[in-house]
Amino acid sequence: MAWNTNLRWRLPLTCLLLQVIMVILFGVFVRYDFEADAHWWSERTHKNLSDMENEFYYRYPSFQDVHVMVFVGFGFLMTFLQRYGFSAVGFNFLLAAFGIQWALLMQGWFHFLQDRYIVVGVENLINADFCVASVCVAFGAVLGKVSPIQLLIMTFFQVTLFAVNEFILLNLLKVKDAGGSMTIHTFGAYFGLTVTRILYRRNLEQSKERQNSVYQSDLFAMIGTLFLWMYWPSFNSAISYHGDSQHRAAINTYCSLAACVLTSVAISSALHKKGKLDMVHIQNATLAGGVAVGTAAEMMLMPYGALIIGFVCGIISTLGFVYLTPFLESRLHIQDTCGINNLHGIPGIIGGIVGAVTAASASLEVYGKEGFQRGLDRKNTGKVPDLWSLGDPGHGPDGWHHCGAHFEITILGTTFR
Amino acid sequence: MAWNTNLRWRLPLTCLLLQVIMVILFGVFVRYDFEADAHWWSERTHKNLSDMENEFYYRYPSFQDVHVMVFVGFGFLMTFLQRYGFSAVGFNFLLAAFGIQWALLMQGWFHFLQDRYIVVGVENLINADFCVASVCVAFGAVLGKVSPIQLLIMTFFQVTLFAVNEFILLNLLKVKDAGGSMTIHTFGAYFGLTVTRILYRRNLEQSKERQNSVYQSDLFAMIGTLFLWMYWPSFNSAISYHGDSQHRAAINTYCSLAACVLTSVAISSALHKKGKLDMVHIQNATLAGGVAVGTAAEMMLMPYGALIIGFVCGIISTLGFVYLTPFLESRLHIQDTCGINNLHGIPGIIGGIVGAVTAASASLEVYGKEGFQRGLDRKNTGKVPDLWSLGDPGHGPDGWHHCGAHFEITILGTTFR
Amino acid sequence: MAWNTNLRWRLPLTCLLLQVIMVILFGVFVRYDFEADAHWWSERTHKNLSDMENEFYYRYPSFQDVHVMVFVGFGFLMTFLQRYGFSAVGFNFLLAAFGIQWALLMQGWFHFLQDRYIVVGVENLINADFCVASVCVAFGAVLGKVSPIQLLIMTFFQVTLFAVNEFILLNLLKVKDAGGSMTIHTFGAYFGLTVTRILYRRNLEQSKERQNSVYQSDLFAMIGTLFLWMYWPSFNSAISYHGDSQHRAAINTYCSLAACVLTSVAISSALHKKGKLDMVHIQNATLAGGVAVGTAAEMMLMPYGALIIGFVCGIISTLGFVYLTPFLESRLHIQDTCGINNLHGIPGIIGGIVGAVTAASASLEVYGKEGFQRGLDRKNTGKVPDLWSLGDPGHGPDGWHHCGAHFEITILGTTFR
């Protein structure tokens, strides 16, 4: 790399400059959503609307869980390398703090413009966290190879592309992706793998001891793993429709994750020559079930369907850590420090396929009139107009099939970016 | 031990087999609760029922807190032994992931069958976590002595017996046990102590150095302690009636736990020859107040009543760690690694007694018409038919006294299982 | 110090005595709030009030977040000193457990008396946690210098003064301070600094190695930092008005904290001779934005306003760590172990000024009829009569200006206590 990462003034100036730009753009563009606006809500309450109907109470607990996943979950998950423990948590903190601001703007311009203003409410905060989660995923591939400035630049570009990709998937292709298997995980993983391929350094292979983990660092990493695992039901249900959809998304994710733990342990032990467990698998592959159930989390998957997804992904993800990661490094020169291809990449693709199949097989009997209509219709709760619609309103019941039809294009588009 | 815990294929096959059985049984038996069912909820909304009335919004924040207690709380609480830190967190993760699936089935067959299906909603998830909490308690007694396979087998049997015991207590004896002092803590503790008695190994006594704690491991254990302590109000209020009951259960638990910290510290310091604090007491005895207030948490205990419970339990629990645990090991050959008898066993029994006394002294003036009726009546919110009722509908006001009457039998039944 | 902190019976007797006093006072004074009272709520439901309207569901998720901040956040934030890690977490646990009981009483006598009883609900629990947070702040200044008994005594006096100060600010001066910039942070910081000045020990300066941090302890401290940072939106919105106010307070805090991270990093790197990051700054200064936005969090600050506050405070706080803390120690003999002056003191004062300016510029157009009226009126939700009102009902629109007018007196009163 030509960059001298220790140049004394580069990091301070980058941070200050970015933050000044954020202040200016927020000043020009960002205002409160009507449910967070004193004047608007003050008028609304006269229409006999209970304070409890404010979107805040539907989404805030899930938002906080997602927030913990992004900062503690991803941050500590990457502390398993003794040498990079503080970098992992600290740099993750920095990139996420910048990323959420930039994501509020980028996603706002694409999805939440009213007149010329971006209106911000609790749902935007969740979406910004989601967007940053995708950057945290990508960070996992380049951990130990990048400086804070490079991370900020990567965040800038990835958030921008994330918003474009999300717009294409959700608004143009009418894909529904509540838990972000495609938009967050697959995109984040292949973006990160592309970056790490570009940053390939041969001599890193010799310094294997830098990738050592120690006992304490493994316990710190388990903090990250467990907070991700426990709060994943909130991740997948955070921006679902109110009522049964949020309820169902949480149940499905809960089931999928539970199954994933058992099969990850099984394969990890089976592939170890003494039958022991590899901590990297426990820390990572156990989460694959949450990734894969993301897209279809709010669908009528049935609990056993969720279990099957978790079952399969625990196996595939662990196999990936054992066979695929070394192959990628030795043959394709892709150094995937945290194995994000196995945790986010492949499970994300599986999640997209599951979502396409589930959407294609949706029926009026299973979803009821309103539920099915929501699948076809653009109208949501009236607040996030086109963002999370499941199908194309112009195509009748075929709308559901669109997901399936356009899906391959989507994956191709994401993979070969 | 006759088991060779390193046999290479035993763990993988056990995990895969159990998970395949789970998938099949879920496929045959488990469906969504009506509040998580798209068709049902879609119809319901036409009846002018707000989305906010979905059970999800009443219980989901508490569910997530309980989830954290089971996986991070119990997992990290047991990391205080330097040698078993990773086993504690990792094996706890494995057993809990299997246990919640099996608990959904077992509790479903006993309590949530509709036609031939178990209907699963957020309340089932909480109950499954509760059931697994009892296994985590028992794990505390055998930490360092069991292999993962043995743990899975123990989980299988304990969850089964838990569901039977819960059915006897709640449905046959009509006991009310919101925070699970009896069903979760007392049962878990004495089940675990029975298992550790069976697994008694004389030579463990010589290897005292294996039970060492170090500075870092004590800080990790404090993560577990604090998350258990902080979220215990959610534990005890998670499945209480809506409204005042959940509100009161949280307040009572908050008060009891606060008092417990001061008396634990007092006794710990008083019994140390230099007046110092023993970290094991700070990590464990401070939680006894939450256990003991469990059964009666939603009753009109009054804040000072809760303080008294915490006051007493902090003292008894710390005394137990100092005098009872060594006695049990040397005389009865019960090696209680984490001292669960002092944290869950005895405080659980106290909790049951408090519950019986409180129920026996309930009156119409204190609880109001509806509250008192709920005590006598089986009907709850209409969703969990007989599970959490407080009395016997056939016996009039005497129903409350039944709790007291049958209580001794219950304890006997639990203790000498 | 004349105290012999190891006197064997002093700590046990202090703890037991305090706890006995708490039990007696709770018995005489504390009862349930009507929303946690079985009789009252049982009657109320007949008036067609949904269970969901219980205050519990508006505030409980935020309460749990605040609870985590007090016990895990402040506790682990102070583990950065290797030598005092366990003291930090353990003593923080002890003082907070006592403090919340005493705070329930003190705040109750000033604000929640009905007839002769203090009525306790979820809002009181949050306020008690807030009060204790101020003690945790002060503890940061004296960490490593005080015994548990001294901490309990300090807690006793600080909670008492906190309630008096809060009464003066909120009830007499009609100041509104939702996130407690003034009442919690400024008060806590300058109380702590006063105590540490009194406890000044010259020889501490020689034992610099006692203030060392190590790699592991820095990671533990990041647990505290992140939980404080993530849950701060809940802290600032926990006791705001229902609906738009809570919603807005969360958004403003989220924005302010994000900006604060970037400017802290910038200044930290700029002032390091090799351009590296100082972990103490990352652990502390990144939080200053949450402190400073506290008072005005629920006002119509606009997201860019919140960003500017965070921007400024990140810079000032980091500068404080680099220049002010050494100055205070060498010249004024104020040994500020955790740098609370930079994290809570100065940002708290800034927060008060921001609050005064925002309140002074409030208008009917921006806040709407109801919102503006709330600013002038004492009536809140009917539950916390005068506590959180923004202005003086007797002065018309001028009420808002009162905040500004009385503000300097407030600060003076707080600073020179």
Side-chain angles (χ1 to χ4, degrees):
Chain A
M1 298 295 299
W3 288 67
N4 179 344
T5 54
N6 279 336
L7 266 181
R8 183 162 167 186
W9 291 103
R10 195 161 280 173
L11 180 61
L13 289 179
T14 310
C15 287
L16 286 178
L17 185 68
L18 287 173
Q19 192 55 55
V20 167
I21 295 171
M22 289 301 115
V23 170
I24 295 169
L25 290 175
F26 268 62
V28 176
F29 288 106
V30 180
R31 295 297 178 269
Y32 296 117
D33 184 78
F34 61 80
E35 306 207 35
D37 184 277
H39 190 90
W40 200 100
W41 192 256
S42 162
E43 304 293 306
R44 189 188 199 184
T45 46
H46 300 137
K47 296 174 195 153
N48 229 338
L49 254 168
S50 159
D51 274 331
M52 197 34 110
E53 296 290 322
N54 194 302
E55 192 73 4
F56 182 77
Y57 301 104
Y58 282 101
R59 309 241 182 250
Y60 190 71
S62 309
F63 158 66
Q64 274 296 359
D65 295 349
V66 172
H67 217 40
V68 171
M69 291 174 74
V70 169
F71 289 87
V72 162
F74 284 110
F76 276 90
L77 182 61
M78 293 184 282
T79 57
F80 74 103
L81 297 178
Q82 185 181 19
R83 200 185 157 91
Y84 297 114
F86 204 82
S87 305
V89 176
F91 292 174
N92 187 70
F93 191 19
L94 175 63
L95 77 83
F98 166 62
I100 53 180
Q101 298 178 61
W102 183 227
L104 280 176
L105 288 167
M106 282 303 302
Q107 295 182 318
W109 284 320
F110 277 115
H111 302 293
F112 296 96
L113 270 187
Q114 293 200 358
D115 300 322
R116 68 176 195 84
Y117 291 121
I118 297 164
V119 291
V120 167
V122 67
E123 195 153 343
N124 304 58
L125 306 189
I126 297 172
N127 278 318
D129 272 23
F130 276 2
C131 178
V132 164
S134 143
V135 184
C136 298
V137 166
F139 179 34
V142 297
L143 177 64
K145 281 195 286 195
V146 288
S147 70
I149 305 174
Q150 290 173 313
L151 276 177
L152 287 173
I153 295 167
M154 185 181 101
T155 304
F156 179 84
F157 285 111
Q158 189 175 351
V159 167
T160 311
L161 279 173
F162 179 96
V164 173
N165 184 48
E166 191 185 44
F167 182 76
I168 295 171
L169 286 178
L170 305 183
N171 292 43
L172 303 185
L173 301 182
K174 306 290 172 201
V175 166
K176 191 178 179 61
D177 194 11
S181 301
M182 293 177 281
T183 53
I184 300 166
H185 299 288
T186 309
F187 173 75
Y190 294 109
F191 187 94
L193 293 177
T194 310
V195 174
T196 194
R197 177 67 191 79
I198 294 165
L199 297 180
Y200 178 69
R201 281 189 283 176
R202 185 172 303 276
N203 53 330
L204 260 190
E205 288 179 83
Q206 277 102 50
S207 63
K208 276 289 178 200
E209 82 282 2
R210 298 178 87 192
Q211 291 209 10
N212 274 348
S213 78
V214 292
Y215 192 80
Q216 303 285 352
S217 66
D218 269 323
L219 269 181
F220 278 115
M222 281 304 288
I223 297 175
T225 300
L226 287 175
F227 274 102
L228 286 171
W229 196 91
M230 295 179 305
Y231 286 157
W232 216 293
S234 299
F235 194 91
N236 285 347
S237 68
I239 51 163
S240 298
Y241 289 100
H242 296 166
D244 63 300
S245 293
Q246 284 198 292
H247 203 151
R248 200 160 53 243
I251 296 170
N252 287 336
T253 311
Y254 179 94
C255 290
S256 176
L257 284 165
C260 191
V261 174
L262 271 89
T263 55
S264 301
V265 166
I267 305 302
S268 177
S269 169
L271 297 181
H272 190 283
K273 52 191 169 192
K274 288 183 181 169
K276 290 194 173 174
L277 298 172
D278 186 325
M279 292 178 192
V280 169
H281 305 160
I282 309 296
Q283 285 155 6
N284 290 279
T286 51
L287 300 167
V291 173
V293 86
T295 299
E298 63 184 333
M299 308 292 285
M300 291 289 286
L301 269 184
M302 292 298 142
Y304 68 86
L307 286 187
I308 292 170
I309 295 171
F311 190 99
V312 171
C313 284
I315 293 173
I316 291 178
S317 182
T318 314
L319 289 174
F321 275 98
V322 177
Y323 297 114
L324 198 56
T325 302
F327 173 82
L328 288 180
E329 178 153 0
S330 60
R331 298 301 168 87
L332 304 183
H333 289 180
I334 297 174
Q335 294 159 324
D336 184 0
T337 318
C338 297
I340 60 167
N341 187 42
N342 315 304
L343 171 48
H344 301 278
I346 301 172
I349 294 175
I350 296 174
I353 296 170
V354 170
V357 172
T358 324
S361 59
S363 72
L364 189 60
E365 299 91 76
V366 173
Y367 287 84
K369 210 169 167 186
E370 192 194 308
F372 194 63
Q373 195 59 33
R374 277 204 300 225
L376 310 177
D377 205 20
R378 279 167 170 245
K379 268 183 294 179
N380 193 328
T381 56
K383 282 151 211 162
V384 203
D386 339 30
L387 189 51
W388 306 106
S389 66
L390 186 73
D392 193 333
H395 294 72
D398 265 307
W400 295 78
H401 292 279
H402 266 272
C403 294
H406 288 304
F407 180 71
E408 287 126 80
I409 308 159
T410 306
I411 289 296
L412 289 173
T414 313
T415 319
F416 299 110
R417 170 156 298 108
Chain B
M1 297 297 301
W3 288 69
N4 180 344
T5 55
N6 278 337
L7 267 181
R8 184 163 165 185
W9 291 103
R10 194 161 281 172
L11 180 61
L13 289 178
T14 310
C15 288
L16 286 178
L17 185 69
L18 286 173
Q19 192 56 54
V20 167
I21 295 172
M22 289 301 115
V23 171
I24 295 170
L25 290 175
F26 268 62
V28 176
F29 288 106
V30 180
R31 295 296 177 268
Y32 296 118
D33 183 78
F34 59 82
E35 305 205 36
D37 184 278
H39 189 90
W40 201 99
W41 192 256
S42 161
E43 304 294 306
R44 190 188 198 184
T45 46
H46 300 135
K47 295 173 197 154
N48 230 336
L49 254 168
S50 158
D51 275 331
M52 197 35 110
E53 295 290 322
N54 194 302
E55 190 74 5
F56 182 77
Y57 301 104
Y58 282 102
R59 309 238 182 252
Y60 189 72
S62 309
F63 158 66
Q64 275 296 0
D65 294 349
V66 172
H67 218 39
V68 171
M69 290 174 75
V70 169
F71 288 88
V72 162
F74 284 110
F76 276 90
L77 181 61
M78 292 184 283
T79 57
F80 74 103
L81 297 178
Q82 184 181 20
R83 200 185 156 91
Y84 297 113
F86 205 81
S87 305
V89 176
F91 293 174
N92 187 69
F93 191 19
L94 175 64
L95 77 83
F98 166 63
I100 53 180
Q101 297 177 61
W102 182 228
L104 279 176
L105 288 167
M106 282 303 302
Q107 296 182 316
W109 284 321
F110 276 115
H111 302 293
F112 295 95
L113 270 187
Q114 293 199 358
D115 299 323
R116 68 177 195 84
Y117 291 121
I118 297 164
V119 290
V120 167
V122 67
E123 194 152 343
N124 303 57
L125 305 189
I126 297 172
N127 278 318
D129 271 24
F130 276 2
C131 178
V132 164
S134 140
V135 184
C136 297
V137 167
F139 179 35
V142 297
L143 177 66
K145 281 196 285 196
V146 288
S147 70
I149 304 174
Q150 291 173 311
L151 275 178
L152 287 172
I153 295 168
M154 185 181 101
T155 305
F156 179 84
F157 285 111
Q158 190 176 350
V159 168
T160 310
L161 279 174
F162 179 96
V164 172
N165 184 49
E166 191 185 44
F167 182 77
I168 295 172
L169 285 177
L170 304 182
N171 292 42
L172 303 186
L173 302 182
K174 307 289 171 203
V175 166
K176 191 176 179 60
D177 194 11
S181 300
M182 293 178 280
T183 53
I184 300 167
H185 299 288
T186 309
F187 173 74
Y190 293 110
F191 188 96
L193 292 176
T194 310
V195 174
T196 194
R197 177 68 191 79
I198 294 166
L199 297 179
Y200 178 69
R201 281 190 284 175
R202 185 171 301 276
N203 54 328
L204 260 190
E205 288 179 84
Q206 278 102 51
S207 62
K208 275 290 177 199
E209 84 282 2
R210 299 177 87 189
Q211 291 209 11
N212 275 349
S213 78
V214 291
Y215 192 80
Q216 303 284 354
S217 66
D218 269 323
L219 269 180
F220 278 115
M222 280 305 288
I223 297 175
T225 299
L226 288 176
F227 274 102
L228 285 171
W229 195 90
M230 295 178 305
Y231 286 157
W232 216 293
S234 298
F235 194 92
N236 285 348
S237 69
I239 51 163
S240 297
Y241 289 99
H242 297 165
D244 63 300
S245 294
Q246 284 197 292
H247 203 150
R248 200 159 53 241
I251 295 170
N252 286 336
T253 312
Y254 179 94
C255 289
S256 176
L257 284 165
C260 192
V261 174
L262 270 91
T263 55
S264 301
V265 167
I267 305 301
S268 178
S269 169
L271 297 181
H272 190 282
K273 52 192 168 191
K274 288 183 183 169
K276 291 194 173 173
L277 299 173
D278 186 326
M279 294 179 189
V280 169
H281 305 161
I282 309 298
Q283 284 155 7
N284 291 278
T286 51
L287 300 167
V291 173
V293 86
T295 299
E298 62 184 335
M299 309 293 284
M300 291 290 286
L301 268 183
M302 292 298 143
Y304 68 87
L307 285 187
I308 292 170
I309 295 171
F311 191 99
V312 172
C313 285
I315 293 173
I316 291 178
S317 183
T318 313
L319 289 174
F321 275 99
V322 177
Y323 298 114
L324 198 57
T325 302
F327 173 82
L328 288 180
E329 178 153 0
S330 60
R331 298 301 167 86
L332 303 184
H333 290 180
I334 297 174
Q335 294 159 323
D336 184 359
T337 318
C338 296
I340 60 168
N341 187 43
N342 315 305
L343 171 48
H344 301 279
I346 299 171
I349 294 176
I350 295 173
I353 295 169
V354 170
V357 171
T358 325
S361 59
S363 71
L364 189 60
E365 298 91 75
V366 174
Y367 287 84
K369 210 168 168 186
E370 195 194 307
F372 194 63
Q373 195 59 32
R374 277 205 301 225
L376 310 176
D377 206 20
R378 280 169 169 244
K379 268 182 294 179
N380 193 329
T381 56
K383 282 150 209 163
V384 203
D386 343 27
L387 189 51
W388 307 106
S389 66
L390 185 73
D392 193 334
H395 293 72
D398 264 307
W400 294 77
H401 292 280
H402 266 272
C403 294
H406 288 305
F407 181 70
E408 287 126 81
I409 309 160
T410 307
I411 289 296
L412 289 173
T414 314
T415 318
F416 299 111
R417 170 155 298 110
Chain C
M1 296 295 300
W3 288 68
N4 180 345
T5 55
N6 278 337
L7 267 181
R8 183 163 167 184
W9 291 103
R10 195 162 281 174
L11 181 60
L13 289 179
T14 310
C15 288
L16 286 178
L17 185 69
L18 287 174
Q19 193 55 56
V20 168
I21 295 171
M22 289 301 117
V23 170
I24 294 169
L25 290 174
F26 268 62
V28 175
F29 287 105
V30 181
R31 296 296 177 267
Y32 296 118
D33 183 79
F34 61 82
E35 304 206 36
D37 184 278
H39 190 90
W40 200 99
W41 192 256
S42 160
E43 304 294 305
R44 188 187 199 184
T45 45
H46 300 136
K47 296 173 195 153
N48 231 337
L49 254 169
S50 159
D51 275 330
M52 195 37 108
E53 296 290 321
N54 194 302
E55 191 73 5
F56 183 77
Y57 301 104
Y58 282 101
R59 307 240 182 252
Y60 190 71
S62 309
F63 158 66
Q64 275 295 0
D65 295 349
V66 172
H67 217 39
V68 172
M69 290 174 74
V70 169
F71 288 88
V72 162
F74 284 110
F76 276 90
L77 182 61
M78 292 184 282
T79 57
F80 74 105
L81 297 178
Q82 184 180 20
R83 200 186 156 92
Y84 298 113
F86 204 82
S87 305
V89 176
F91 293 173
N92 187 69
F93 191 19
L94 176 63
L95 77 83
F98 166 63
I100 53 180
Q101 298 177 61
W102 183 227
L104 280 176
L105 288 167
M106 282 303 301
Q107 295 182 317
W109 283 320
F110 277 113
H111 302 293
F112 296 94
L113 270 187
Q114 292 200 357
D115 299 323
R116 67 176 196 85
Y117 291 121
I118 297 165
V119 290
V120 167
V122 67
E123 196 153 341
N124 303 58
L125 306 189
I126 297 171
N127 278 318
D129 272 23
F130 276 2
C131 178
V132 164
S134 141
V135 184
C136 297
V137 167
F139 179 34
V142 297
L143 178 65
K145 282 196 284 193
V146 289
S147 70
I149 304 174
Q150 290 173 312
L151 276 177
L152 288 172
I153 294 166
M154 185 181 100
T155 305
F156 180 84
F157 285 110
Q158 190 175 351
V159 168
T160 310
L161 280 174
F162 180 96
V164 173
N165 184 47
E166 190 185 45
F167 182 77
I168 295 170
L169 286 178
L170 305 182
N171 293 42
L172 303 185
L173 301 182
K174 306 290 170 202
V175 167
K176 192 177 177 60
D177 194 11
S181 301
M182 293 177 281
T183 54
I184 300 168
H185 298 289
T186 309
F187 172 74
Y190 293 108
F191 188 96
L193 292 177
T194 309
V195 174
T196 195
R197 177 67 191 79
I198 295 166
L199 297 180
Y200 178 69
R201 281 188 285 175
R202 185 172 302 277
N203 52 329
L204 260 190
E205 288 178 84
Q206 278 101 49
S207 62
K208 275 289 177 199
E209 83 282 3
R210 299 178 87 191
Q211 290 208 13
N212 274 349
S213 78
V214 292
Y215 192 80
Q216 303 285 353
S217 65
D218 269 323
L219 269 180
F220 278 114
M222 280 305 288
I223 296 175
T225 300
L226 288 176
F227 274 102
L228 286 172
W229 195 91
M230 295 179 305
Y231 286 157
W232 216 295
S234 300
F235 193 92
N236 285 348
S237 69
I239 51 163
S240 298
Y241 289 100
H242 297 166
D244 63 301
S245 293
Q246 285 198 290
H247 203 151
R248 202 161 52 243
I251 296 169
N252 286 336
T253 312
Y254 178 95
C255 290
S256 175
L257 284 164
C260 191
V261 174
L262 270 90
T263 55
S264 303
V265 167
I267 305 302
S268 177
S269 169
L271 296 181
H272 190 281
K273 53 192 167 191
K274 289 183 181 168
K276 291 195 174 173
L277 298 172
D278 186 325
M279 294 178 189
V280 168
H281 306 161
I282 309 297
Q283 284 155 6
N284 290 278
T286 51
L287 300 167
V291 173
V293 86
T295 299
E298 62 184 336
M299 308 293 283
M300 291 290 286
L301 269 183
M302 291 300 142
Y304 68 87
L307 286 187
I308 293 170
I309 295 172
F311 190 99
V312 172
C313 285
I315 293 172
I316 291 179
S317 182
T318 313
L319 289 174
F321 275 98
V322 177
Y323 298 114
L324 199 55
T325 302
F327 173 83
L328 288 180
E329 178 153 0
S330 59
R331 297 300 167 86
L332 304 184
H333 290 180
I334 297 174
Q335 294 159 323
D336 184 0
T337 318
C338 297
I340 60 167
N341 187 42
N342 315 304
L343 172 48
H344 302 279
I346 300 171
I349 293 175
I350 295 173
I353 296 169
V354 170
V357 172
T358 325
S361 59
S363 71
L364 189 60
E365 300 90 76
V366 173
Y367 287 85
K369 210 169 167 186
E370 195 193 307
F372 194 64
Q373 195 59 33
R374 276 203 301 225
L376 310 176
D377 206 20
R378 281 168 169 244
K379 266 183 293 177
N380 192 330
T381 56
K383 282 151 209 161
V384 204
D386 341 28
L387 189 50
W388 306 105
S389 67
L390 185 75
D392 192 332
H395 294 73
D398 265 307
W400 294 78
H401 292 278
H402 265 273
C403 295
H406 288 305
F407 180 71
E408 287 125 82
I409 308 160
T410 306
I411 288 297
L412 289 173
T414 312
T415 318
F416 299 111
R417 171 154 298 111

